[in-house]
Amino acid sequence: MQIVITAVGPDNRGLADPIVHYVTGHGANIAEIQMYDHDEACLFAMLLRIDMPADEYDALEEAMRAIGREKQLSVRVWSPERRAARPRLAICTTYRMEPPLALLRALRDGQIQAEAALMLGNRPQCRSLAEQFNVPWHMIGNDAGVADDERLVELCDEYEIDYVILARYMRVLPPASCWKYAGGRIVNLHHGLLPSFPGLRPYQDAYASRMLTYGATCHFIVPELDAGNQIIHQQTFTVPPGMPLADIVRLGQEDNEPRCLVEGVRRVVAREVQLHFHRIVARRR
Amino acid sequence: MQIVITAVGPDNRGLADPIVHYVTGHGANIAEIQMYDHDEACLFAMLLRIDMPADEYDALEEAMRAIGREKQLSVRVWSPERRAARPRLAICTTYRMEPPLALLRALRDGQIQAEAALMLGNRPQCRSLAEQFNVPWHMIGNDAGVADDERLVELCDEYEIDYVILARYMRVLPPASCWKYAGGRIVNLHHGLLPSFPGLRPYQDAYASRMLTYGATCHFIVPELDAGNQIIHQQTFTVPPGMPLADIVRLGQEDNEPRCLVEGVRRVVAREVQLHFHRIVARRR
Amino acid sequence: MQIVITAVGPDNRGLADPIVHYVTGHGANIAEIQMYDHDEACLFAMLLRIDMPADEYDALEEAMRAIGREKQLSVRVWSPERRAARPRLAICTTYRMEPPLALLRALRDGQIQAEAALMLGNRPQCRSLAEQFNVPWHMIGNDAGVADDERLVELCDEYEIDYVILARYMRVLPPASCWKYAGGRIVNLHHGLLPSFPGLRPYQDAYASRMLTYGATCHFIVPELDAGNQIIHQQTFTVPPGMPLADIVRLGQEDNEPRCLVEGVRRVVAREVQLHFHRIVARRR
Amino acid sequence: MQIVITAVGPDNRGLADPIVHYVTGHGANIAEIQMYDHDEACLFAMLLRIDMPADEYDALEEAMRAIGREKQLSVRVWSPERRAARPRLAICTTYRMEPPLALLRALRDGQIQAEAALMLGNRPQCRSLAEQFNVPWHMIGNDAGVADDERLVELCDEYEIDYVILARYMRVLPPASCWKYAGGRIVNLHHGLLPSFPGLRPYQDAYASRMLTYGATCHFIVPELDAGNQIIHQQTFTVPPGMPLADIVRLGQEDNEPRCLVEGVRRVVAREVQLHFHRIVARRR
């Protein structure tokens, strides 16, 4: 069974030792280890991907919980195989309703075999969607839209979330949150064609260079800021010269972005793709 | 009548004066002037776009010819309006046959209202296409494929070419050639999505960054190397993660590139787009 | 005599014709013409660099003034040769006092042969410097520091300024202002090494990529946003690994930037460099 | 004692387990683990940085040798502390003699406290330098200058090299070689200012953008191609506008590059800097 262990702590000293010692002593094969030391942010993190017999999972989880308590680490154990038939999704939103709406419909209609277990917003705009589709809703933003990042992780833990879907969620997840759900569990919809058009205004940037192709990108979030190579799906459309920007944005937001998100989440849930040493790979089956 | 005058010479001194003096003295309105001084290459050039009564065209051409003779300048006069109903195309080729073949078919079938007046190659590969479609063929490359750039311009002059189509022609036109046919007369097919993937290996470059969107770009060539903003048409396709590069290249070369070129040339010939101060604009009609 | 004519107007129609017609009819040689059409901003502009006998200057100026009045254009005539022995500078400031202070001292001590004819600020911080060195001071910013861009140009006209020096002036000049003083008359001090570190936070950006070389750049402003190639002088310093950012910024602001500006302005005033087709060249003497 | 273990093998399976198991079972603290899986190149690699009592070093080395033999891995154990007083350098050369000459002089004069234990070349040009300074010389290039990369590593192993110095060595080390000497043991002299001017022609590239600052960069090589953040030292010089490229290159090659390399190697040998999670840090003392 493929198992992902993540550990996050405030101190580099002894972060890796007890966890690594346990797994190598209990018959696991180490497939991948990544460690990071963001000393300026006092953030130390490790991702461990191992193969281990499935019947060791509960003992492992218990052991990791004990290590976390003892060493003051935030440790998580997860396997993509445990709820593979029907993984649980958290859908994070801000203003735009089209992408979460398309995703909720695809879940309802069985186009994506997963459960909408939780909806979040740092703004209240998408609350009605949660009510309409009967999904638990939590508001995590203050009056200025600043999100409570720790609350987001707590809720995902509490609702036993497998995949966190950022459906035009317009806040940057802090590195600690990315590490806690590392290993290909956070999926983002970016409303531009990566890597060419990152940033907050990809339609405007592409328009400014008189591009005729516009696109959206569905990708895994990995914990380093400058990472690339995690594109799950891209959806594009082409316009004739002279189309006004407002029309292009409308085409993108109302049609292209929702389609991109739905197909991207479908691929993740169906485990057609996975992260492997920070790169996306098609899963061999 | 919109008229484009280009002048190229080895010396900056007196390049602009006689031409500008003539046109301002004969009732023309100057819509655009661009001058360039590539002193390192001893190349001095000017583009003049004017509005002038159509019945002045012949006199203007004669006067410019005289100035060119007297001042040792290479001067050209052209109007997109003179053969607008059926402009004459030069199709420049190297190895790949798919793009010129698609273009020749579209011309034969009347999908594009223009005449294949001339085919060129710096390699002999596409000669059989010229014979099949009964288009005059000229080989301008030596045994190593090095093109005779002056011969290319001479042939275009001789065949009274309106638009030069670079159909996967794999040589860079020198600045002097670009200036001589400046003003939106040279159309290139690039086999990558600009501006993200320029260079000689755009499929490989996009693949290396694990892009899932691939595309081709049809654009006007303008005489400066760092120019952008001249995209006429982009055609894209999207692949699933894991598709081998060879399959992607095949999809691109056999299907996507030819379609991109045909639509791009159609837009130019139909005058749906034009260059305006180095940027592409949809023509107001 | 080398003369620069700039014209700015709200309409492309007839911008170039009367000016070009006059100069070609009065024995001038055209050395450079640039026209721009920022249609989205309704800004049409032309730069004309000509050679003309010096005794024609006054008549030319009068004729251009008449054309400006008649055609509703903002036309300016200037020659770098008229006050070459002691050109008049406008020093534009915001917060930082070190660069303008170093410049005022260099002017007082005769290290730079020019006159501090005007000091401006969009913030009041540098007013005391103007008083100390007895230079006319004008505040052009409102309470939020927003500058009155038209007032800046008016003041430069009124004080018969030859060169506008942006001495850590933290506002972007609008294109219309850049065109009105085009031709190598606006000198900017950027506190990073161009072209690698543009933007508002070049120290931070260089630090983030763990650069050990920091620098400042003195360059001409040209009217297009994406222009390069106008670097007059660069001044650098190198630090050992581990130096805190605050110390680096202090070294840069207090020592490196002022030295960069003084040497850059000295080169411009001494006419060691000039703009030529948007590129800087050493003046042949 | 800080110890670096590197392991390189053709297969991901079981690469990490035995090594990690040994060190966590023998009282080591894990400070850093990096694993890489270059599946396209069939290259799997691990870097392990640990703290361990110095008297365990020999037993560790023996154990790692046994694991290497058994698992068909290329395993190396190294500590920067063992020969800290006088580390052994390999100096790799191609054509240019100025950088290795300056380095050999600095070693002879005690400016750098290290031993020139080995000189290599993929071209014979610097052989006379090795003879003059009485350093063992090995030619590792064929007639076309293609280097025998495995021979380079073998020689470094055989001569017990601590640091590999690429003194204008114009070949790219393959990832396997970089991994085998990972952990801050390979120092390169690049003849341009990084990150702005990478590539083979940094003088030409900087000149083409009319930069007035030129520089050289001494940096650690890390095994990934796109890594940055490893700059040990940068040395710059500034030229006036108009200086010909040939003069700039001469200034750079004859004066600036040699000085950059000497100071960079001095910092490494004196252990003023070290690699820490792929970033350079000043060593706390």
Side-chain angles (χ1 to χ4, degrees):
Chain A
M1 181 184 243
Q2 191 187 128
I3 297 172
V4 172
I5 303 170
T6 62
V8 174
D11 187 326
N12 198 20
R13 194 116 210 116
L15 173 71
D17 296 313
I19 296 171
V20 169
H21 193 64
Y22 179 91
V23 301
T24 62
H26 284 74
N29 282 307
I30 296 174
E32 179 176 353
I33 307 182
Q34 305 295 342
M35 278 180 74
Y36 281 81
D37 176 332
H38 295 265
D39 45 6
E40 284 146 13
C42 286
L43 172 67
F44 302 89
M46 183 174 66
L47 164 78
L48 194 59
R49 197 156 48 79
I50 60 176
D51 286 311
M52 211 174 189
D55 55 13
E56 298 265 6
Y57 186 91
D58 292 337
L60 172 71
E61 198 171 31
E62 179 51 43
M64 292 302 114
R65 203 174 291 135
I67 288 172
R69 267 196 309 271
E70 188 190 347
K71 303 285 183 181
Q72 303 290 317
L73 297 173
S74 182
V75 186
R76 277 167 188 77
V77 176
W78 176 73
S79 171
E81 300 174 28
R82 293 191 86 217
R83 280 186 294 264
R86 193 167 173 78
R88 296 168 61 80
L89 310 186
I91 303 173
C92 304
T93 66
T94 300
Y95 291 118
R96 299 218 62 86
M97 300 178 72
E98 296 94 336
L101 175 57
L103 182 55
L104 289 163
R105 284 178 174 154
L107 292 165
R108 177 196 64 195
D109 299 344
Q111 186 186 347
I112 299 175
Q113 300 285 342
E115 184 175 347
L118 171 64
M119 273 188 77
L120 299 171
N122 67 314
R123 295 284 185 186
Q125 268 78 353
C126 293
R127 181 190 184 134
S128 60
L129 281 183
E131 289 171 351
Q132 179 187 341
F133 286 83
N134 209 18
V135 181
W137 164 266
H138 290 266
M139 170 74 174
I140 61 163
N142 68 9
D143 288 353
V146 177
D148 183 339
D149 292 312
E150 297 197 6
R151 184 74 186 126
L152 188 152
V153 171
E154 280 170 17
L155 284 165
C156 289
D157 288 345
E158 181 187 330
Y159 281 87
E160 298 191 312
I161 294 304
D162 290 293
Y163 299 106
V164 180
I165 313 299
L166 308 181
R168 284 296 298 270
Y169 178 69
M170 301 305 283
R171 306 292 303 184
V172 173
L173 289 194
S177 302
C178 295
W179 274 110
K180 287 170 184 170
Y181 276 78
R185 302 176 68 184
I186 311 179
V187 174
N188 185 46
L189 171 66
H190 177 69
H191 48 309
L193 210 51
L194 294 177
S196 317
F197 297 101
L200 292 172
R201 297 166 63 78
Y203 289 112
Q204 286 77 1
D205 294 345
Y207 187 78
S209 57
R210 308 234 169 188
M211 283 283 282
L212 299 179
T213 295
Y214 293 81
T217 301
C218 197
H219 64 103
F220 285 120
I221 295 270
V222 297
E224 314 114 277
L225 282 182
D226 57 349
N229 295 338
Q230 293 83 32
I231 298 174
I232 299 162
H233 179 55
Q234 292 187 312
Q235 188 97 26
T236 64
F237 62 105
T238 299
V239 302
M243 181 178 280
L245 176 57
D247 292 357
I248 295 168
V249 172
R250 189 153 24 81
L251 282 176
Q253 288 181 342
E254 295 182 4
D255 181 45
N256 193 68
E257 293 179 26
R259 291 204 294 154
C260 184
L261 181 65
V262 167
E263 173 61 11
V265 172
R266 191 198 64 70
R267 289 183 184 180
V268 172
V269 163
R271 299 178 65 216
E272 296 180 1
V273 294
Q274 62 182 16
L275 272 188
H276 178 76
F277 286 85
H278 290 186
R279 289 166 301 148
I280 203 161
V281 294
R283 194 161 66 101
R284 302 176 188 97
R285 277 186 287 196
Chain B
M1 182 185 241
Q2 191 186 128
I3 297 171
V4 172
I5 302 170
T6 61
V8 174
D11 187 325
N12 199 19
R13 196 114 207 115
L15 174 70
D17 295 312
I19 297 171
V20 169
H21 194 65
Y22 179 91
V23 301
T24 60
H26 285 73
N29 283 307
I30 297 174
E32 180 176 352
I33 307 182
Q34 305 294 342
M35 277 179 78
Y36 282 80
D37 176 333
H38 295 267
D39 44 8
E40 286 146 13
C42 284
L43 172 66
F44 301 88
M46 182 174 67
L47 165 77
L48 195 59
R49 197 155 49 78
I50 59 176
D51 286 311
M52 212 174 188
D55 54 15
E56 299 265 7
Y57 186 89
D58 292 337
L60 172 72
E61 199 171 31
E62 179 53 42
M64 292 301 114
R65 202 173 292 136
I67 289 172
R69 267 195 310 271
E70 187 190 349
K71 303 284 183 182
Q72 303 289 317
L73 298 173
S74 183
V75 186
R76 276 166 188 77
V77 177
W78 176 74
S79 171
E81 299 174 29
R82 293 190 86 217
R83 282 186 292 265
R86 194 166 171 79
R88 296 169 62 80
L89 310 187
I91 303 174
C92 303
T93 67
T94 299
Y95 291 118
R96 299 219 63 85
M97 300 177 72
E98 296 93 337
L101 175 57
L103 182 55
L104 288 163
R105 283 178 175 155
L107 291 165
R108 177 196 64 196
D109 299 345
Q111 187 185 346
I112 298 176
Q113 301 284 343
E115 183 174 348
L118 171 64
M119 274 188 77
L120 299 171
N122 66 315
R123 296 283 185 188
Q125 267 78 355
C126 294
R127 179 188 184 134
S128 59
L129 282 183
E131 289 170 351
Q132 179 186 341
F133 285 84
N134 210 20
V135 180
W137 164 265
H138 290 267
M139 170 74 174
I140 61 164
N142 67 10
D143 287 353
V146 176
D148 182 339
D149 292 312
E150 297 197 7
R151 184 75 185 124
L152 189 152
V153 171
E154 280 169 19
L155 285 165
C156 289
D157 289 345
E158 181 186 331
Y159 282 87
E160 298 191 313
I161 295 303
D162 290 293
Y163 300 105
V164 180
I165 313 299
L166 308 180
R168 284 296 296 270
Y169 178 68
M170 300 306 281
R171 307 291 303 182
V172 174
L173 288 194
S177 303
C178 296
W179 273 111
K180 286 169 184 170
Y181 276 78
R185 302 176 68 183
I186 310 178
V187 174
N188 186 46
L189 171 66
H190 176 70
H191 48 308
L193 210 51
L194 292 177
S196 317
F197 297 101
L200 291 171
R201 296 167 62 79
Y203 289 111
Q204 286 78 359
D205 294 343
Y207 187 78
S209 58
R210 308 235 167 188
M211 283 283 282
L212 299 179
T213 295
Y214 293 81
T217 301
C218 198
H219 64 103
F220 285 120
I221 296 270
V222 297
E224 313 115 278
L225 283 181
D226 57 350
N229 294 340
Q230 293 83 32
I231 297 174
I232 299 163
H233 179 55
Q234 292 187 312
Q235 189 97 25
T236 64
F237 62 105
T238 299
V239 302
M243 180 178 282
L245 177 58
D247 293 356
I248 295 168
V249 172
R250 190 154 23 81
L251 282 176
Q253 288 181 343
E254 296 181 4
D255 180 44
N256 194 67
E257 293 178 27
R259 291 205 294 153
C260 185
L261 181 65
V262 167
E263 172 61 11
V265 173
R266 191 198 62 72
R267 288 184 185 179
V268 172
V269 163
R271 299 179 66 216
E272 295 181 1
V273 295
Q274 62 182 17
L275 273 188
H276 178 76
F277 287 84
H278 292 185
R279 291 166 300 148
I280 203 161
V281 294
R283 194 160 66 101
R284 299 175 190 99
R285 279 184 288 195
Chain C
M1 182 185 239
Q2 191 185 128
I3 296 171
V4 172
I5 302 171
T6 63
V8 174
D11 188 324
N12 199 21
R13 196 117 205 112
L15 174 71
D17 295 314
I19 296 171
V20 169
H21 194 64
Y22 180 90
V23 300
T24 61
H26 284 73
N29 284 306
I30 296 175
E32 179 176 353
I33 307 182
Q34 305 294 342
M35 277 181 77
Y36 281 81
D37 176 331
H38 295 266
D39 45 5
E40 285 146 13
C42 286
L43 172 68
F44 302 89
M46 181 175 64
L47 164 78
L48 194 59
R49 197 157 48 80
I50 59 174
D51 286 310
M52 210 174 191
D55 54 14
E56 299 263 8
Y57 187 90
D58 291 338
L60 173 71
E61 199 170 32
E62 180 51 41
M64 292 302 113
R65 203 173 292 137
I67 289 172
R69 266 195 311 270
E70 189 191 348
K71 303 284 184 182
Q72 302 289 318
L73 298 173
S74 182
V75 186
R76 277 167 188 76
V77 176
W78 176 74
S79 170
E81 299 174 28
R82 291 191 87 220
R83 279 185 295 263
R86 194 167 172 79
R88 295 168 62 80
L89 310 186
I91 304 174
C92 303
T93 68
T94 299
Y95 290 119
R96 300 219 60 86
M97 301 177 72
E98 296 94 336
L101 175 57
L103 182 54
L104 288 164
R105 283 177 175 155
L107 291 165
R108 176 196 64 194
D109 299 345
Q111 190 186 344
I112 299 175
Q113 301 285 343
E115 184 175 346
L118 170 64
M119 275 188 76
L120 299 170
N122 67 314
R123 295 284 185 186
Q125 268 79 352
C126 294
R127 178 189 186 137
S128 60
L129 281 184
E131 290 170 350
Q132 180 187 338
F133 285 82
N134 210 21
V135 181
W137 164 266
H138 291 267
M139 172 73 175
I140 60 163
N142 68 9
D143 287 353
V146 177
D148 182 339
D149 292 314
E150 298 198 6
R151 183 73 185 127
L152 189 152
V153 170
E154 280 170 18
L155 284 166
C156 289
D157 288 346
E158 179 187 332
Y159 281 86
E160 299 191 311
I161 295 302
D162 291 292
Y163 301 106
V164 180
I165 314 299
L166 308 179
R168 286 294 298 271
Y169 178 69
M170 300 306 283
R171 308 291 302 184
V172 174
L173 289 194
S177 303
C178 295
W179 273 110
K180 287 170 183 169
Y181 275 79
R185 301 177 68 184
I186 309 179
V187 174
N188 185 46
L189 172 66
H190 177 69
H191 48 308
L193 211 52
L194 294 176
S196 318
F197 297 100
L200 291 172
R201 296 165 63 80
Y203 289 111
Q204 286 77 1
D205 294 345
Y207 187 78
S209 58
R210 307 234 169 189
M211 282 280 283
L212 299 180
T213 295
Y214 293 81
T217 301
C218 197
H219 64 102
F220 285 119
I221 297 270
V222 297
E224 316 113 276
L225 281 182
D226 58 350
N229 293 341
Q230 294 82 31
I231 298 175
I232 300 163
H233 179 56
Q234 291 188 313
Q235 187 98 27
T236 64
F237 62 105
T238 299
V239 303
M243 181 179 279
L245 176 58
D247 293 356
I248 295 167
V249 172
R250 190 152 24 80
L251 281 177
Q253 289 181 342
E254 297 181 3
D255 180 45
N256 193 68
E257 292 178 25
R259 289 205 294 156
C260 185
L261 180 63
V262 167
E263 173 60 11
V265 172
R266 191 196 64 71
R267 289 183 184 179
V268 172
V269 163
R271 301 179 62 216
E272 296 181 1
V273 295
Q274 61 182 18
L275 274 187
H276 179 76
F277 285 85
H278 290 186
R279 290 165 302 147
I280 204 163
V281 294
R283 193 162 65 101
R284 300 177 189 99
R285 277 185 287 195
Chain D
M1 181 185 240
Q2 191 186 127
I3 296 171
V4 171
I5 302 170
T6 62
V8 174
D11 187 325
N12 198 22
R13 195 118 208 111
L15 174 72
D17 296 313
I19 296 172
V20 169
H21 194 63
Y22 179 91
V23 301
T24 61
H26 285 74
N29 283 307
I30 295 173
E32 179 176 352
I33 307 182
Q34 306 294 341
M35 277 180 77
Y36 281 82
D37 176 331
H38 296 265
D39 45 6
E40 286 145 13
C42 285
L43 172 68
F44 301 88
M46 181 174 65
L47 164 78
L48 195 58
R49 197 156 48 79
I50 60 175
D51 286 310
M52 210 173 191
D55 54 14
E56 298 264 9
Y57 186 90
D58 293 337
L60 172 71
E61 199 170 31
E62 180 50 43
M64 291 303 112
R65 204 172 291 136
I67 288 172
R69 268 194 310 270
E70 188 191 348
K71 303 284 183 181
Q72 301 290 318
L73 297 174
S74 181
V75 185
R76 276 168 188 76
V77 176
W78 176 73
S79 170
E81 300 174 27
R82 292 190 87 220
R83 278 186 296 263
R86 194 166 172 80
R88 295 168 63 79
L89 310 187
I91 304 174
C92 303
T93 66
T94 299
Y95 290 118
R96 299 218 61 85
M97 301 177 71
E98 296 94 335
L101 176 57
L103 183 55
L104 288 163
R105 284 178 175 155
L107 292 165
R108 177 195 66 194
D109 299 344
Q111 189 186 345
I112 299 175
Q113 300 286 340
E115 184 175 346
L118 171 63
M119 274 188 77
L120 299 170
N122 66 315
R123 295 284 184 185
Q125 268 77 353
C126 295
R127 179 188 185 136
S128 59
L129 281 184
E131 290 170 350
Q132 179 187 342
F133 285 85
N134 211 19
V135 180
W137 165 265
H138 290 267
M139 172 72 176
I140 61 165
N142 68 9
D143 287 353
V146 176
D148 182 339
D149 291 314
E150 297 197 7
R151 184 74 185 126
L152 188 153
V153 169
E154 279 170 19
L155 284 166
C156 289
D157 288 347
E158 181 188 330
Y159 281 86
E160 298 191 311
I161 295 303
D162 291 292
Y163 300 105
V164 180
I165 313 298
L166 308 179
R168 284 295 298 270
Y169 179 70
M170 301 305 283
R171 307 291 302 183
V172 173
L173 290 193
S177 303
C178 296
W179 273 110
K180 287 171 184 170
Y181 276 79
R185 300 176 69 183
I186 309 178
V187 174
N188 185 47
L189 172 65
H190 176 70
H191 49 309
L193 210 51
L194 294 175
S196 317
F197 297 100
L200 291 173
R201 297 167 63 79
Y203 289 111
Q204 285 78 0
D205 293 345
Y207 186 78
S209 58
R210 309 237 167 186
M211 282 281 283
L212 299 180
T213 295
Y214 293 81
T217 301
C218 197
H219 64 103
F220 285 120
I221 296 271
V222 298
E224 315 114 275
L225 281 182
D226 58 350
N229 293 341
Q230 294 82 31
I231 297 174
I232 299 163
H233 179 55
Q234 291 186 314
Q235 188 98 26
T236 63
F237 63 107
T238 299
V239 302
M243 180 178 280
L245 176 58
D247 294 355
I248 295 168
V249 172
R250 188 152 26 81
L251 281 177
Q253 289 182 341
E254 297 182 3
D255 180 44
N256 193 67
E257 292 179 27
R259 290 205 294 156
C260 184
L261 180 64
V262 167
E263 173 61 12
V265 173
R266 192 198 63 72
R267 288 183 185 179
V268 171
V269 163
R271 302 178 65 216
E272 295 181 2
V273 295
Q274 61 182 16
L275 274 188
H276 179 77
F277 286 86
H278 291 185
R279 289 165 302 147
I280 203 161
V281 294
R283 193 161 65 101
R284 300 177 190 97
R285 278 185 288 195

